[in-house]
Amino acid sequence: MKMKKLKKGQRGFTLIEVLIVITLTGLIAGGLTTTIMQVVTMSHRTANRMTAVRQVQQAGFWVSPDVQMSQPDEVDTGNDPGTPEFELLTLGWIEFEGAANPTHEVIYTLEDGELWRSHSVGGGVPTVIRVAEYIDSDPQKTKCEIVAGELGDELKFTVTATVGEQSETKIYRIKPRPESS
């Protein structure tokens, strides 16, 4: 191949002009890369935060109605927190008016960051489901305790979910049903 020769009066780019263009292109590419990485990182953090919020809501969704159905003398707030597997909460109740008046027992267990619910009726085979994931087993972050409320004793259920570096904590105050007379 033949290279074209420059005619008189034609000029090419000087070395300084080429270096300026390369520098400007590098700065623009670096800025775009940084912006894209920030968007991806923020998106990941937001997804982790929303997962933590959802897991805390799931825990409250399951525990709240069970506590409301339980009878105050059938609420046990767990054993040996801080171990890899422990019973966080045990609840019991007898159905109101009914032919057989079956007894219910619900046990919430925290095991390796997962909250499990075991429900048995009349001493039968329990149904076990996973209620929530990413639950923090630190006894200061996830715990159940009986506290005095305005209208009598309540269960204070504190639950924390941690996903990546994002965490969410919610405190539920739930009143068991009144004693039947």
Side-chain angles (χ1 to χ4, degrees):
M1 283 192 176
K2 283 186 171 182
M3 289 185 60
K4 287 188 173 184
K5 292 185 181 179
L6 294 176
K7 295 182 182 179
K8 256 188 179 180
Q10 270 189 322
R11 292 183 18 162
F13 294 107
T14 65
L15 181 59
I16 298 221
E17 292 170 330
V18 171
L19 288 175
I20 289 173
V21 168
I22 290 173
T23 302
L24 288 175
T25 303
L27 287 173
I28 291 170
L32 285 174
T33 302
T34 301
T35 301
I36 290 170
M37 289 304 292
Q38 291 239 340
V39 167
V40 168
T41 301
M42 188 59 82
S43 176
H44 184 68
R45 284 184 189 154
T46 301
N48 285 350
R49 175 80 176 178
M50 292 310 299
T51 300
V53 167
R54 183 69 183 136
Q55 296 306 310
V56 166
Q57 289 174 338
Q58 276 293 108
F61 173 82
W62 284 94
V63 170
S64 292
D66 286 340
V67 172
Q68 290 171 342
M69 283 300 296
S70 68
Q71 289 150 326
D73 59 342
E74 293 292 328
V75 176
D76 179 12
T77 57
N79 62 12
D80 201 11
T83 59
E85 175 183 349
F86 70 95
E87 287 181 12
L88 182 65
L89 180 63
T90 303
L91 305 166
W93 68 88
I94 299 173
E95 283 187 19
F96 286 117
E97 300 303 315
N101 289 335
T103 59
H104 293 259
E105 181 180 56
V106 176
I107 300 172
Y108 284 93
T109 306
L110 189 56
E111 180 180 350
D112 297 325
E114 296 179 334
L115 183 61
W116 294 88
R117 177 185 187 261
S118 171
H119 177 219
S120 62
V121 180
V125 177
T127 303
V128 179
I129 61 169
R130 183 178 62 199
V131 170
E133 298 177 281
Y134 307 110
I135 304 300
D136 198 324
S137 60
D138 179 346
Q140 297 303 315
K141 294 183 177 180
T142 301
K143 61 186 173 184
C144 293
E145 54 192 328
I146 304 294
V147 296
E150 292 177 16
L151 301 173
D153 288 346
E154 300 174 332
L155 177 83
K156 181 179 175 185
F157 174 48
T158 305
V159 61
T160 301
T162 304
V163 182
E165 295 178 5
Q166 304 298 313
S167 68
E168 178 70 16
T169 300
K170 179 139 175 92
I171 299 172
Y172 295 91
R173 292 181 73 104
I174 314 155
K175 183 152 180 56
R177 76 178 184 190
E179 289 287 342
S180 55
S181 27

